Amino acid sequence: MPDASTDAAGTFERGLAVLHAVATHPEPRLRRGDLAKATGLPRSTVDRVTATLLHLGYLRAEGQDLRLALRAMQPGNAYLASCGLVGPLAPLLTRLADELDESVTLTAPDVDGARLVAQSTRRRAVYLAFHVGAVLPDDRTAAGVVLAGTWDEERFETWRHRRTADPLDAGFPAVPTLAEPPADREAVFRARVATARARGWALDDQWVEPGLLALSAPVRDPAGRPVAAVNVLTHTSRHTAATFPDTALPRLRAAVADMEAALREPPRATGPVADRVPAEGVRAAKAELGMSFLEGLARGLAVLTAFRGAPEGHTIATAAQACGLARATARRALHVLRDAGYATTDGKRFALLPGVLDLGYARLAPLTLSDIAQPHLAELAAEVGESASMAVLDGDHVRYVARVATGRVMRVDITIGTRFPAYATSMGRVLLADLPAAERAAVLRAADRRPLTGRTLVDPAALEAAVAAVARDGWAMVDEELHEGLRSLAVGVRDTTGTVVAAVNVALHVGRDTPEDTARRLLPPLRAAVARIEADLAVAFDQVPLVVH
């Protein structure tokens, strides 16, 4: 019979296997029976693991189905925060993208391929669809070719084994699957690596997809080891393979020099630890779930996410201190992470590896602001029995990006993309209230302020007073100013800097209650829904900027 320490380590290992299976399954939803088949674990074990992951917020249930919750991005955030690449290099990545007016990405070497860890993209009719966390085949990307410049024969053998097992690259969902295995694949790869090593850069001339060009150069750490590759991406409609290096290479080389200088600076902590497992929390979970709650899994995940505040990695002692755990517990968790391929160690200090991104981050990274808001809007609409929407500021209008309508007889015909004048809407006034005073005044002056109903405020002074009241109160109500019979209550959605990036409203017919009754009835659930959206945004955009389109 295993002792307690062995069982705790096994519990964490099995929990990681289940989380990985959910995160990498071809379908976004799956059932516990599917997990048992995918992991080879007994159904009873899967039931206990999923009960714990549901309680911790890493999974969510939709009837009998399970799917990842936003909190499953926290292990990936821990890697990105602690890897020493994203924090110092992301601003320089953005600067290069601005200089070239092209999408720029940063990739790190991984056992499975070249892993995307940061990006600054440009949205055009043809734009980059990669996301942070995606892993790309080494031989089909300029980044992979550049990073393979220091491979030994053992590493090439590992690559060869993986390509033999997956000759069409079906295991790389970020790139198109090949129609047939390439001829002389290894010889072509080795030739590309040799050319890149001699040049100091590589050009991907539509290796991944027709029309896509990528120019890559390695970024070296203070010891001279390539730890990442910077990639400038463009389309053949903008550049040709013959001219693109002449255009982009000088700036790319200058950016690499600045990045290597940034890596010589001492690492800095990027924030507090995300998850601690206090004793009272464990006791409460045990009381709620009984034997279904796996303490070893909860504590192991706490150790994993504790790297969030450890840019130099963790020793056993610092991991234990960060999580409030015994040294033996922290040691077991760190050894499980090492053995599972999620961490490496020099014998004293542990550091996370890019594969951690496969525990949920890579799957959830494509989610947009509206994707994240939609389930919370649905919950809000079901709770209050009224339509709920989200909008962003688009010039002097608001543009709807998410909406859940009710089945009431009287409703307004609004779809995603609908635009209304900001001055006459509750969401518009919430968004305007967060602007600097001069910018807000300029937007109001430029707006075509027409009386849409007999109650619409159009006088600049009256509008300024109304928006100032919103800034003071933190919410807005508009009564029959946009449409006769329509009342709307809105609250702003803030990002981690405190900036209002969107607004959520509840809309209803004025005949149901008075404005005071509406505020008393709807404001608490509206604020609660916004708080849930903000909590999810804080996780989803912890290490990448929130871009509102």
Side-chain angles (χ1 to χ4, degrees):
M1 182 174 180
D3 62 26
S5 63
T6 302
D7 187 58
T11 295
F12 184 32
E13 183 180 10
R14 291 187 289 271
L16 290 174
V18 169
L19 187 58
H20 182 271
V22 178
T24 58
H25 195 272
E27 299 298 326
R29 300 179 182 87
L30 68 167
R31 299 198 170 188
R32 291 166 179 84
D34 299 322
L35 279 173
K37 293 177 183 177
T39 60
L41 295 172
R43 174 60 188 268
S44 59
T45 299
V46 169
D47 288 345
R48 295 182 69 193
V49 169
T50 54
T52 302
L53 291 173
L54 284 164
H55 181 85
L56 295 174
Y58 283 77
L59 299 180
R60 59 188 176 93
E62 295 182 351
Q64 296 297 313
D65 294 334
L66 298 171
R67 68 184 304 160
L68 288 175
L70 263 294
R71 195 171 189 181
M73 297 183 78
Q74 286 189 337
N77 283 331
Y79 163 74
L80 294 172
S82 65
C83 69
L85 297 173
V86 178
L89 303 190
L92 300 173
L93 210 68
T94 299
R95 189 183 72 185
L96 179 61
D98 291 340
E99 290 173 353
L100 294 172
D101 192 26
E102 301 286 359
S103 293
V104 179
T105 65
L106 186 73
T107 53
D110 197 2
V111 293
D112 291 324
R115 180 80 66 165
L116 183 64
V117 297
Q119 63 182 0
S120 180
T121 60
R122 295 292 181 270
R123 285 188 72 90
R124 297 191 175 96
V126 178
Y127 68 94
L128 183 67
F130 297 150
H131 297 280
V132 172
V135 62
L136 312 174
D138 293 299
D139 62 308
R140 290 178 62 190
T141 61
V145 166
V146 161
L147 294 172
T150 58
W151 283 12
D152 57 17
E153 284 304 314
E154 183 179 356
R155 183 64 182 85
F156 271 106
E157 174 61 27
T158 300
W159 171 85
R160 188 183 306 117
H161 176 75
R162 291 178 184 275
R163 296 288 60 75
T164 301
D166 182 16
L168 302 181
D169 292 343
F172 295 92
V175 301
T177 301
L178 297 170
E180 58 183 8
D184 302 321
R185 185 168 189 171
E186 183 171 348
V188 171
F189 182 29
R190 286 180 179 269
R192 288 172 174 173
V193 171
T195 300
R197 188 188 299 117
R199 288 175 169 175
W201 54 273
L203 177 67
D204 168 356
D205 183 5
Q206 307 179 77
W207 299 345
V208 169
E209 190 169 17
L212 179 64
L213 303 176
L215 186 68
S216 301
V219 179
R220 301 180 185 276
D221 67 8
R225 297 168 300 193
V227 292
V230 184
N231 322 288
V232 182
L233 300 105
T234 192
H235 192 265
T236 51
S237 61
R238 291 173 56 82
H239 296 281
T240 68
T243 61
F244 188 42
D246 294 335
T247 302
L249 195 56
R251 288 188 176 90
L252 174 59
R253 283 174 165 157
V256 166
D258 290 340
M259 290 180 183
E260 292 177 343
L263 291 181
R264 291 193 287 270
E265 297 293 324
R268 293 178 294 176
T270 57
V273 174
D275 286 321
R276 289 177 64 92
V277 185
E280 61 270 20
V282 171
R283 286 194 295 269
K286 275 289 188 186
E288 179 182 344
L289 298 179
M291 292 298 293
S292 293
F293 183 73
L294 301 174
E295 295 179 41
L297 175 53
R299 288 170 172 156
L301 289 171
V303 171
L304 172 51
T305 56
F307 282 88
R308 169 71 173 77
E312 295 181 321
H314 267 310
T315 64
I316 292 171
T318 60
Q321 182 180 21
C323 301
L325 297 173
R327 284 174 58 95
T329 302
R331 181 178 64 250
R332 288 193 297 269
L334 290 169
H335 286 176
V336 168
L337 290 171
R338 178 202 61 195
D339 295 344
Y342 295 123
T344 186
T345 181
D346 60 7
K348 180 181 179 182
R349 192 171 292 275
F350 292 77
L352 295 182
L353 291 172
V356 168
L357 294 165
D358 281 335
L359 293 176
Y361 195 101
R363 184 62 169 267
L364 297 172
L367 293 180
T368 64
L369 171 64
S370 55
D371 294 330
I372 292 169
Q374 192 70 24
H376 298 292
L377 296 181
E379 184 178 345
L380 173 62
E383 179 182 358
V384 302
E386 310 288 358
S387 297
S389 306
M390 172 181 276
V392 298
L393 197 61
D394 186 3
D396 58 3
H397 283 63
V398 296
R399 176 168 46 83
Y400 280 67
V401 296
R403 178 168 168 79
V404 175
T406 62
R408 293 189 182 276
V409 174
M410 300 188 68
R411 53 184 174 177
V412 180
D413 185 19
I414 298 172
T415 59
I416 304 304
T418 296
R419 298 170 78 247
F420 287 127
Y423 71 90
T425 64
S426 61
M427 290 193 286
R429 289 181 188 173
V430 164
L431 292 161
L432 290 171
D434 196 59
L435 295 178
E439 184 178 352
R440 180 172 67 226
V443 171
L444 288 174
R445 283 196 304 270
D448 180 16
R449 301 184 306 277
R450 291 176 294 161
L452 304 176
T453 74
R455 300 170 63 95
T456 308
L457 288 181
V458 294
D459 177 69
L463 281 170
E464 273 289 348
V467 173
V470 173
R472 180 193 67 230
D473 299 335
W475 57 279
M477 181 182 291
V478 167
D479 215 18
E480 298 190 89
E481 294 190 48
L482 180 66
H483 289 286
E484 297 284 354
L486 181 68
R487 178 179 298 149
S488 175
L489 184 71
V491 172
V493 177
R494 297 182 183 273
D495 64 12
T496 54
T497 70
T499 302
V500 173
V501 294
V504 172
N505 83 343
V506 176
L508 66 157
H509 190 261
V510 297
R512 298 196 188 111
D513 49 28
T514 66
E516 294 76 18
D517 290 337
T518 296
R520 279 193 297 269
R521 179 169 70 92
L522 298 182
L523 195 54
L526 175 57
R527 281 176 164 159
V530 167
R532 293 192 296 272
I533 293 171
E534 290 174 342
D536 277 354
L537 293 180
V539 175
F541 300 99
D542 176 65
Q543 293 296 308
V544 298
L546 169 59
V547 179
V548 178
H549 296 296

